[in-house]
Amino acid sequence: MAAGNLRVNEARLWDSLMEMAAIGATPKGGVRRIALSPEDMAGRDLFARWCGEVGCSLRVDAAGNMFARRPGQDPSRRPVLIGSHLDSQPTGGKFDGALGVLAGIEVLRVLHDAGIETEAPIEVVNWTDEEGARFGRAMIGSGLWAGRLDAAETESLRDGEGVTLGAALDAAGARGAAQSGPFPADSYFELHIEQGPILEREGKRIGVVTGAQAQVWLRARVTGRDSHAGTTPPSARRDALAGAARMVLAVQRIMREAGEAGRGTVGSLVVAPGSPNVIPGDVRFTVEFRNPSDAMVAAQAAHFRAEAEAIAAEEGLALALEERFRIAAQPFDPACVGLVRDAAARLGLSAMEIVSGAGHDAVHVAPVVPTAMIFVPCRDGLSHNEAESIEPGEAADGAAVLLEAVLARAGRRS
Ligand SMILES: [Zn+2]
Protein backbone atom coordinates (compact mmCIF):
# COMPACT_ATOMS: atom_id res chain seq x y z
CA MET A 1 0.00 0.00 0.00
CA ALA A 2 1.58 3.21 -1.21
CA ALA A 3 1.50 5.29 1.92
CA GLY A 4 -0.06 2.80 4.26
CA ASN A 5 2.55 3.04 7.01
CA LEU A 6 2.60 6.84 6.98
CA ARG A 7 0.17 8.49 9.30
CA VAL A 8 -1.07 12.04 9.55
CA ASN A 9 -0.68 13.27 13.12
CA GLU A 10 -4.18 14.46 13.99
CA ALA A 11 -3.21 16.23 17.22
CA ARG A 12 -0.26 18.01 15.62
CA LEU A 13 -2.37 19.21 12.67
CA TRP A 14 -5.09 20.41 15.05
CA ASP A 15 -2.58 22.21 17.29
CA SER A 16 -1.17 24.00 14.25
CA LEU A 17 -4.68 25.02 13.12
CA MET A 18 -5.35 26.44 16.59
CA GLU A 19 -1.97 28.21 16.74
CA MET A 20 -2.65 29.84 13.38
CA ALA A 21 -6.22 30.71 14.47
CA ALA A 22 -4.80 32.58 17.48
CA ILE A 23 -3.38 35.13 15.03
CA GLY A 24 -6.20 37.60 14.47
CA ALA A 25 -8.54 35.68 16.79
CA THR A 26 -11.91 37.39 17.31
CA PRO A 27 -13.98 37.39 20.51
CA LYS A 28 -16.64 35.19 18.88
CA GLY A 29 -14.15 32.43 18.09
CA GLY A 30 -13.39 33.40 14.52
CA VAL A 31 -10.45 34.96 12.72
CA ARG A 32 -9.76 38.37 11.22
CA ARG A 33 -6.63 38.04 9.11
CA ILE A 34 -7.25 40.38 6.20
CA ALA A 35 -4.79 40.18 3.30
CA LEU A 36 -1.49 42.01 3.91
CA SER A 37 -2.61 43.23 7.35
CA PRO A 38 -0.24 42.85 10.34
CA GLU A 39 -2.18 39.68 11.25
CA ASP A 40 -1.75 38.23 7.76
CA MET A 41 1.96 39.02 7.91
CA ALA A 42 2.21 37.27 11.30
CA GLY A 43 0.49 34.23 9.78
CA ARG A 44 2.97 34.30 6.91
CA ASP A 45 5.89 34.45 9.34
CA LEU A 46 4.57 31.40 11.17
CA PHE A 47 4.15 29.56 7.86
CA ALA A 48 7.75 30.40 6.92
CA ARG A 49 9.04 29.25 10.31
CA TRP A 50 7.17 25.94 10.17
CA CYS A 51 8.38 25.22 6.65
CA GLY A 52 11.95 26.04 7.63
CA GLU A 53 11.75 23.60 10.55
CA VAL A 54 11.24 20.72 8.12
CA GLY A 55 14.10 21.77 5.89
CA CYS A 56 12.19 23.55 3.14
CA SER A 57 13.51 26.53 1.23
CA LEU A 58 11.14 29.46 0.81
CA ARG A 59 10.56 31.45 -2.36
CA VAL A 60 8.24 34.47 -2.46
CA ASP A 61 7.06 35.97 -5.72
CA ALA A 62 6.15 39.54 -6.72
CA ALA A 63 2.49 38.93 -5.78
CA GLY A 64 3.48 37.79 -2.29
CA ASN A 65 2.71 34.13 -3.02
CA MET A 66 4.87 31.90 -0.80
CA PHE A 67 6.30 28.60 -2.07
CA ALA A 68 7.99 26.26 0.45
CA ARG A 69 9.98 23.65 -1.46
CA ARG A 70 10.95 20.19 -0.30
CA PRO A 71 13.48 18.84 -2.78
CA GLY A 72 12.92 15.58 -4.64
CA GLN A 73 15.51 13.01 -5.63
CA ASP A 74 15.08 13.82 -9.30
CA PRO A 75 15.81 17.52 -9.88
CA SER A 76 14.42 17.26 -13.40
CA ARG A 77 10.94 16.44 -12.11
CA ARG A 78 8.29 19.15 -11.85
CA PRO A 79 7.08 19.87 -8.31
CA VAL A 80 3.78 18.66 -6.91
CA LEU A 81 2.03 21.72 -5.44
CA ILE A 82 -0.19 21.75 -2.35
CA GLY A 83 -1.86 25.01 -1.46
CA SER A 84 -4.58 27.32 -0.24
CA HIS A 85 -4.63 30.66 1.62
CA LEU A 86 -4.00 32.08 5.09
CA ASP A 87 -5.94 35.34 4.71
CA SER A 88 -9.53 35.49 6.00
CA GLN A 89 -12.76 37.41 5.75
CA PRO A 90 -13.17 40.29 8.26
CA THR A 91 -15.29 37.97 10.41
CA GLY A 92 -13.98 34.69 9.05
CA GLY A 93 -13.54 31.22 10.48
CA LYS A 94 -10.51 29.25 11.59
CA PHE A 95 -10.48 26.75 8.73
CA ASP A 96 -11.30 28.47 5.42
CA GLY A 97 -7.95 28.40 3.63
CA ALA A 98 -5.84 27.64 6.69
CA LEU A 99 -6.79 23.96 6.56
CA GLY A 100 -5.35 23.52 3.06
CA VAL A 101 -2.07 25.26 3.89
CA LEU A 102 -1.55 23.60 7.27
CA ALA A 103 -2.46 20.16 5.92
CA GLY A 104 0.29 20.81 3.37
CA ILE A 105 2.71 21.48 6.21
CA GLU A 106 1.50 18.31 7.92
CA VAL A 107 2.38 16.37 4.75
CA LEU A 108 5.88 17.89 4.88
CA ARG A 109 6.20 16.94 8.55
CA VAL A 110 5.09 13.35 8.00
CA LEU A 111 7.65 12.90 5.22
CA HIS A 112 10.35 14.67 7.24
CA ASP A 113 9.80 12.54 10.36
CA ALA A 114 9.75 9.31 8.36
CA GLY A 115 12.81 10.27 6.34
CA ILE A 116 10.89 9.68 3.11
CA GLU A 117 12.28 11.05 -0.10
CA THR A 118 10.05 11.58 -3.08
CA GLU A 119 11.16 11.58 -6.68
CA ALA A 120 9.51 14.91 -7.52
CA PRO A 121 9.88 17.98 -5.30
CA ILE A 122 6.86 19.03 -3.22
CA GLU A 123 5.95 22.69 -2.75
CA VAL A 124 3.41 24.04 -0.27
CA VAL A 125 1.90 27.32 -1.42
CA ASN A 126 0.27 30.15 0.52
CA TRP A 127 -1.57 32.25 -2.08
CA THR A 128 -1.98 35.98 -1.45
CA ASP A 129 -5.46 37.46 -0.84
CA GLU A 130 -7.83 34.68 -1.80
CA GLU A 131 -10.78 36.21 0.04
CA GLY A 132 -11.11 39.49 -1.82
CA ALA A 133 -12.21 41.23 1.38
CA ARG A 134 -9.80 44.14 1.00
CA PHE A 135 -9.37 45.02 -2.69
CA GLY A 136 -12.76 43.90 -4.01
CA ARG A 137 -11.47 40.99 -6.05
CA ALA A 138 -11.02 37.41 -4.90
CA MET A 139 -8.26 34.87 -5.65
CA ILE A 140 -5.73 37.58 -6.47
CA GLY A 141 -2.42 35.79 -5.83
CA SER A 142 -3.32 32.63 -7.68
CA GLY A 143 -4.91 34.65 -10.49
CA LEU A 144 -1.74 36.70 -10.96
CA TRP A 145 0.45 33.61 -10.79
CA ALA A 146 -1.63 31.76 -13.37
CA GLY A 147 -1.71 34.77 -15.68
CA ARG A 148 -5.49 34.99 -15.40
CA LEU A 149 -5.36 38.53 -13.97
CA ASP A 150 -3.50 41.48 -15.48
CA ALA A 151 -0.68 42.49 -13.11
CA ALA A 152 -0.76 46.26 -13.68
CA GLU A 153 -4.54 46.49 -13.47
CA THR A 154 -4.75 44.24 -10.41
CA GLU A 155 -1.98 46.03 -8.53
CA SER A 156 -3.84 49.31 -9.00
CA LEU A 157 -6.96 48.00 -7.22
CA ARG A 158 -7.59 50.08 -4.09
CA ASP A 159 -8.82 49.15 -0.64
CA GLY A 160 -11.34 51.20 1.36
CA GLU A 161 -8.62 53.61 2.42
CA GLY A 162 -7.34 54.21 -1.10
CA VAL A 163 -4.23 52.04 -0.74
CA THR A 164 -3.42 50.09 -3.89
CA LEU A 165 -2.63 46.39 -3.81
CA GLY A 166 0.85 47.15 -5.13
CA ALA A 167 1.51 49.68 -2.35
CA ALA A 168 0.12 47.28 0.25
CA LEU A 169 2.43 44.49 -0.94
CA ASP A 170 5.42 46.84 -0.61
CA ALA A 171 4.36 48.41 2.69
CA ALA A 172 3.77 45.02 4.32
CA GLY A 173 7.06 43.67 3.01
CA ALA A 174 5.18 40.80 1.40
CA ARG A 175 6.55 41.21 -2.11
CA GLY A 176 9.28 38.73 -2.98
CA ALA A 177 12.02 38.75 -5.58
CA ALA A 178 10.67 35.95 -7.77
CA GLN A 179 8.60 36.88 -10.80
CA SER A 180 4.96 35.88 -10.44
CA GLY A 181 4.11 33.55 -13.25
CA PRO A 182 3.25 29.94 -13.83
CA PHE A 183 6.31 27.71 -13.65
CA PRO A 184 5.97 24.14 -14.85
CA ALA A 185 4.40 22.05 -12.11
CA ASP A 186 3.35 18.43 -12.07
CA SER A 187 0.03 18.95 -10.29
CA TYR A 188 -1.83 21.01 -7.68
CA PHE A 189 -3.88 19.70 -4.77
CA GLU A 190 -6.02 21.88 -2.50
CA LEU A 191 -7.80 20.64 0.61
CA HIS A 192 -10.63 22.93 1.73
CA ILE A 193 -13.73 22.86 3.90
CA GLU A 194 -16.82 22.41 1.73
CA GLN A 195 -18.41 25.71 2.88
CA GLY A 196 -21.78 24.15 2.10
CA PRO A 197 -24.09 21.53 3.65
CA ILE A 198 -23.95 18.63 1.17
CA LEU A 199 -21.27 16.33 2.66
CA GLU A 200 -22.72 16.65 6.14
CA ARG A 201 -26.24 15.98 4.87
CA GLU A 202 -25.09 12.94 2.89
CA GLY A 203 -22.97 11.64 5.79
CA LYS A 204 -19.75 11.58 3.73
CA ARG A 205 -16.24 12.24 5.09
CA ILE A 206 -14.59 13.30 1.81
CA GLY A 207 -15.77 15.33 -1.17
CA VAL A 208 -14.03 14.38 -4.41
CA VAL A 209 -14.25 17.74 -6.18
CA THR A 210 -14.66 17.33 -9.92
CA GLY A 211 -14.59 21.04 -10.79
CA ALA A 212 -16.05 24.46 -10.15
CA GLN A 213 -19.31 25.74 -11.52
CA ALA A 214 -19.98 28.36 -14.17
CA GLN A 215 -21.23 31.79 -13.08
CA VAL A 216 -23.08 34.68 -14.72
CA TRP A 217 -23.56 37.95 -12.83
CA LEU A 218 -26.08 40.55 -14.02
CA ARG A 219 -27.02 44.05 -12.87
CA ALA A 220 -30.57 45.25 -13.34
CA ARG A 221 -32.11 48.70 -13.11
CA VAL A 222 -35.87 49.08 -13.16
CA THR A 223 -37.26 52.54 -13.74
CA GLY A 224 -40.87 53.56 -13.12
CA ARG A 225 -42.17 56.86 -11.79
CA ASP A 226 -41.97 58.33 -8.28
CA SER A 227 -45.50 59.34 -7.32
CA HIS A 228 -47.78 59.95 -4.36
CA ALA A 229 -48.79 56.78 -2.51
CA GLY A 230 -52.16 58.18 -1.52
CA THR A 231 -53.37 59.80 -4.71
CA THR A 232 -52.10 57.49 -7.47
CA PRO A 233 -54.69 54.84 -8.50
CA PRO A 234 -53.57 51.40 -9.73
CA SER A 235 -54.02 52.32 -13.39
CA ALA A 236 -51.60 55.25 -13.05
CA ARG A 237 -48.88 53.53 -11.01
CA ARG A 238 -45.48 52.64 -12.41
CA ASP A 239 -44.10 50.91 -9.33
CA ALA A 240 -40.49 49.90 -9.92
CA LEU A 241 -40.31 47.87 -6.70
CA ALA A 242 -43.43 45.82 -7.42
CA GLY A 243 -42.00 45.01 -10.86
CA ALA A 244 -38.57 44.19 -9.40
CA ALA A 245 -40.20 41.92 -6.81
CA ARG A 246 -41.76 39.87 -9.61
CA MET A 247 -38.33 39.67 -11.25
CA VAL A 248 -36.74 38.44 -8.00
CA LEU A 249 -39.32 35.67 -7.83
CA ALA A 250 -38.55 34.83 -11.46
CA VAL A 251 -34.90 34.29 -10.46
CA GLN A 252 -36.03 31.89 -7.76
CA ARG A 253 -38.33 30.00 -10.13
CA ILE A 254 -35.64 29.71 -12.83
CA MET A 255 -33.20 28.43 -10.19
CA ARG A 256 -35.65 25.79 -8.99
CA GLU A 257 -36.32 24.59 -12.51
CA ALA A 258 -32.66 23.46 -12.57
CA GLY A 259 -33.25 21.16 -9.58
CA GLU A 260 -30.82 20.77 -6.68
CA ALA A 261 -27.87 21.89 -8.84
CA GLY A 262 -29.58 25.24 -9.50
CA ARG A 263 -28.24 28.44 -7.93
CA GLY A 264 -29.90 31.79 -8.48
CA THR A 265 -29.50 34.75 -6.16
CA VAL A 266 -30.54 38.39 -5.84
CA GLY A 267 -28.10 39.48 -3.16
CA SER A 268 -28.47 43.24 -3.32
CA LEU A 269 -31.47 45.48 -4.00
CA VAL A 270 -31.58 49.24 -3.62
CA VAL A 271 -34.91 51.12 -3.65
CA ALA A 272 -35.22 54.85 -4.34
CA PRO A 273 -36.38 57.29 -3.21
CA GLY A 274 -37.09 55.08 -0.19
CA SER A 275 -39.91 56.98 1.49
CA PRO A 276 -42.99 55.29 3.04
CA ASN A 277 -45.46 57.39 1.07
CA VAL A 278 -43.74 57.52 -2.31
CA ILE A 279 -44.25 54.81 -4.93
CA PRO A 280 -40.65 53.87 -5.75
CA GLY A 281 -39.56 54.86 -9.23
CA ASP A 282 -36.04 53.45 -9.24
CA VAL A 283 -34.79 50.01 -8.19
CA ARG A 284 -31.39 48.49 -8.81
CA PHE A 285 -30.53 44.87 -8.04
CA THR A 286 -27.98 42.18 -8.77
CA VAL A 287 -28.64 38.70 -10.13
CA GLU A 288 -26.28 35.76 -10.29
CA PHE A 289 -26.76 32.25 -11.64
CA ARG A 290 -24.36 29.35 -11.07
CA ASN A 291 -24.39 25.80 -12.35
CA PRO A 292 -21.88 23.08 -13.28
CA SER A 293 -22.93 23.59 -16.92
CA ASP A 294 -21.92 26.63 -18.98
CA ALA A 295 -24.94 26.05 -21.21
CA MET A 296 -27.28 25.98 -18.22
CA VAL A 297 -26.17 29.34 -16.78
CA ALA A 298 -26.30 30.90 -20.24
CA ALA A 299 -29.84 29.56 -20.71
CA GLN A 300 -30.86 30.76 -17.23
CA ALA A 301 -29.54 34.26 -17.89
CA ALA A 302 -31.39 34.38 -21.23
CA HIS A 303 -34.55 33.00 -19.63
CA PHE A 304 -34.36 35.65 -16.91
CA ARG A 305 -33.86 38.42 -19.44
CA ALA A 306 -36.98 37.34 -21.36
CA GLU A 307 -39.08 37.11 -18.19
CA ALA A 308 -37.83 40.43 -16.83
CA GLU A 309 -38.54 42.20 -20.10
CA ALA A 310 -42.08 40.77 -20.15
CA ILE A 311 -42.68 41.87 -16.55
CA ALA A 312 -41.34 45.36 -17.29
CA ALA A 313 -43.68 45.67 -20.27
CA GLU A 314 -46.71 44.55 -18.25
CA GLU A 315 -45.92 46.95 -15.41
CA GLY A 316 -45.10 49.95 -17.63
CA LEU A 317 -41.49 50.01 -16.50
CA ALA A 318 -38.14 50.50 -18.23
CA LEU A 319 -35.54 47.79 -17.72
CA ALA A 320 -31.76 48.01 -18.19
CA LEU A 321 -30.04 44.66 -17.75
CA GLU A 322 -26.29 44.31 -18.18
CA GLU A 323 -23.94 41.39 -17.77
CA ARG A 324 -21.19 42.23 -15.27
CA PHE A 325 -19.19 39.03 -15.06
CA ARG A 326 -19.11 35.55 -16.57
CA ILE A 327 -16.80 32.68 -15.78
CA ALA A 328 -16.90 29.29 -17.45
CA ALA A 329 -17.17 26.06 -15.51
CA GLN A 330 -13.70 24.77 -14.64
CA PRO A 331 -13.39 21.00 -14.66
CA PHE A 332 -10.46 19.57 -12.68
CA ASP A 333 -7.91 17.09 -14.05
CA PRO A 334 -9.45 13.60 -14.29
CA ALA A 335 -6.20 11.84 -13.31
CA CYS A 336 -5.69 14.01 -10.22
CA VAL A 337 -9.37 13.72 -9.28
CA GLY A 338 -8.99 9.96 -9.65
CA LEU A 339 -6.08 9.95 -7.18
CA VAL A 340 -8.27 11.72 -4.61
CA ARG A 341 -11.06 9.20 -5.17
CA ASP A 342 -8.60 6.26 -4.90
CA ALA A 343 -6.99 7.69 -1.75
CA ALA A 344 -10.34 8.01 0.02
CA ALA A 345 -11.24 4.45 -0.95
CA ARG A 346 -7.89 3.07 0.20
CA LEU A 347 -8.24 4.84 3.53
CA GLY A 348 -11.78 3.49 3.95
CA LEU A 349 -13.33 6.97 4.02
CA SER A 350 -16.85 7.47 2.66
CA ALA A 351 -16.71 9.84 -0.29
CA MET A 352 -18.87 11.42 -2.96
CA GLU A 353 -18.25 13.51 -6.04
CA ILE A 354 -19.10 17.17 -5.64
CA VAL A 355 -18.84 20.36 -7.70
CA SER A 356 -17.42 23.36 -5.88
CA GLY A 357 -20.05 26.00 -5.29
CA ALA A 358 -17.46 28.60 -4.29
CA GLY A 359 -14.43 30.03 -6.05
CA HIS A 360 -11.01 28.78 -4.92
CA ASP A 361 -7.38 29.33 -5.84
CA ALA A 362 -7.59 25.92 -7.54
CA VAL A 363 -9.97 27.42 -10.12
CA HIS A 364 -7.22 29.78 -11.34
CA VAL A 365 -4.50 27.13 -11.14
CA ALA A 366 -6.48 24.45 -13.01
CA PRO A 367 -6.07 25.90 -16.54
CA VAL A 368 -2.24 25.81 -16.22
CA VAL A 369 -1.52 22.85 -13.90
CA PRO A 370 -3.39 19.51 -13.52
CA THR A 371 -5.51 20.19 -10.45
CA ALA A 372 -7.80 18.51 -7.94
CA MET A 373 -9.50 19.53 -4.72
CA ILE A 374 -10.51 17.62 -1.60
CA PHE A 375 -13.45 18.80 0.50
CA VAL A 376 -14.21 17.91 4.12
CA PRO A 377 -17.56 18.69 5.77
CA CYS A 378 -18.10 21.69 8.03
CA ARG A 379 -20.87 22.06 10.60
CA ASP A 380 -24.18 23.17 9.09
CA GLY A 381 -22.31 24.16 5.93
CA LEU A 382 -21.39 27.40 7.66
CA SER A 383 -18.40 29.42 6.37
CA HIS A 384 -17.35 33.06 6.05
CA ASN A 385 -18.62 33.09 9.62
CA GLU A 386 -16.83 33.14 12.97
CA ALA A 387 -18.75 30.02 13.98
CA GLU A 388 -17.22 27.96 11.15
CA SER A 389 -16.42 24.57 12.69
CA ILE A 390 -14.91 21.17 11.89
CA GLU A 391 -13.73 18.21 14.01
CA PRO A 392 -10.04 17.32 14.40
CA GLY A 393 -10.75 13.94 12.80
CA GLU A 394 -12.25 15.59 9.74
CA ALA A 395 -9.16 17.75 9.28
CA ALA A 396 -6.96 14.66 9.65
CA ASP A 397 -9.03 12.64 7.15
CA GLY A 398 -8.66 15.39 4.57
CA ALA A 399 -4.92 15.61 5.22
CA ALA A 400 -4.57 11.82 4.92
CA VAL A 401 -6.25 11.86 1.50
CA LEU A 402 -4.00 14.77 0.53
CA LEU A 403 -0.88 12.85 1.65
CA GLU A 404 -1.85 9.76 -0.35
CA ALA A 405 -2.69 11.68 -3.51
CA VAL A 406 0.50 13.77 -3.33
CA LEU A 407 2.69 10.72 -2.75
CA ALA A 408 1.09 8.91 -5.66
CA ARG A 409 1.95 11.86 -7.87
CA ALA A 410 5.40 12.69 -6.45
CA GLY A 411 6.60 9.09 -6.40
CA ARG A 412 7.79 7.70 -3.12
CA ARG A 413 11.31 6.29 -2.78
CA SER A 414 11.53 4.33 0.44
ZN1 LIG B 1 -11.00 29.65 1.10
Side-chain angles (χ1 to χ4, degrees):
M1 209 157 78
N5 56 340
L6 293 180
R7 231 169 251 288
V8 161
N9 184 328
E10 178 180 317
R12 177 173 61 188
L13 172 58
W14 190 256
D15 288 348
S16 294
L17 284 163
M18 292 306 109
E19 192 173 339
M20 185 60 75
I23 300 175
T26 60
K28 287 184 184 166
V31 166
R32 179 186 177 89
R33 215 163 41 233
I34 293 176
L36 305 175
S37 66
E39 294 77 20
D40 186 32
M41 294 312 294
R44 289 163 169 266
D45 289 346
L46 185 55
F47 171 80
R49 197 187 91 207
W50 280 339
C51 294
E53 284 170 2
V54 288
C56 290
S57 58
L58 187 67
R59 201 168 70 253
V60 182
D61 74 12
N65 298 314
M66 306 172 79
F67 301 85
R69 183 179 177 96
R70 185 177 198 269
Q73 282 194 334
D74 183 351
S76 71
R77 288 276 301 266
R78 298 172 171 201
V80 175
L81 308 181
I82 304 171
S84 199
H85 59 95
L86 291 174
D87 72 311
S88 82
Q89 290 289 331
T91 52
K94 299 185 191 79
F95 306 101
D96 176 359
L99 175 63
V101 177
L102 300 191
I105 291 176
E106 177 58 25
V107 168
L108 298 177
R109 287 170 173 167
V110 169
L111 300 179
H112 182 77
D113 289 358
I116 302 284
E117 289 198 77
T118 53
E119 287 166 19
I122 296 173
E123 294 195 5
V124 177
V125 192
N126 172 35
W127 301 108
T128 298
D129 195 351
E130 191 276 344
E131 294 290 1
R134 180 165 176 189
F135 298 98
R137 183 173 300 167
M139 305 176 288
I140 286 179
S142 53
L144 288 170
W145 181 81
R148 305 248 291 171
L149 298 176
D150 178 75
E153 192 259 343
T154 305
E155 287 211 15
S156 65
L157 293 172
R158 287 177 191 276
D159 69 9
E161 268 138 37
V163 179
T164 65
L165 169 67
L169 280 166
D170 292 327
R175 198 195 286 280
Q179 207 183 351
S180 190
F183 50 79
D186 171 85
S187 49
Y188 175 75
F189 292 92
E190 182 167 354
L191 168 64
H192 207 284
I193 58 169
E194 181 200 338
Q195 304 184 281
I198 295 171
L199 292 175
E200 185 175 62
R201 202 171 59 199
E202 301 293 323
K204 304 291 188 194
R205 299 289 284 182
I206 296 293
V208 179
V209 189
T210 55
Q213 56 191 354
Q215 304 181 33
V216 176
W217 294 23
L218 308 168
R219 190 159 67 183
R221 183 167 195 171
V222 182
T223 310
R225 187 177 57 199
D226 299 353
S227 53
H228 196 295
T231 60
T232 315
S235 58
R237 287 178 177 237
R238 290 166 55 206
D239 185 334
L241 180 56
R246 291 182 59 192
M247 295 175 197
V248 173
L249 294 177
V251 170
Q252 191 187 45
R253 194 173 61 253
I254 291 165
M255 169 188 76
R256 286 180 172 156
E257 283 169 1
E260 274 294 280
R263 303 285 186 274
T265 303
V266 175
S268 166
L269 186 146
V270 179
V271 182
S275 169
N277 57 354
V278 179
I279 296 162
D282 182 33
V283 173
R284 283 166 290 167
F285 62 97
T286 59
V287 180
E288 61 144 85
F289 290 105
R290 305 190 194 201
N291 193 272
S293 150
D294 294 325
M296 175 60 89
V297 287
Q300 287 176 317
H303 186 178
F304 174 71
R305 181 179 292 277
E307 292 232 0
E309 281 171 354
I311 292 165
E314 281 174 33
E315 303 281 349
L317 303 166
L319 171 70
L321 190 61
E322 58 172 322
E323 185 174 310
R324 299 289 293 161
F325 172 72
R326 181 183 288 249
I327 187 167
Q330 177 61 61
F332 291 155
D333 180 72
C336 291
V337 173
L339 290 177
V340 171
R341 188 186 298 112
D342 294 349
R346 212 160 41 234
L347 292 162
L349 298 169
S350 58
M352 66 180 285
E353 291 197 350
I354 189 166
V355 174
S356 176
H360 292 290
D361 293 310
V363 178
H364 276 326
V365 176
V368 292
V369 175
T371 289
M373 286 190 82
I374 305 155
F375 277 174
V376 291
C378 52
R379 288 298 75 67
D380 302 324
L382 206 58
S383 184
H384 287 188
N385 187 309
E386 291 164 281
E388 188 182 274
S389 166
I390 66 172
E391 298 295 325
E394 292 168 331
D397 285 350
V401 170
L402 180 68
L403 173 65
E404 290 254 341
V406 166
L407 277 180
R409 200 76 189 190
R412 176 184 175 179
R413 289 260 193 100
S414 29

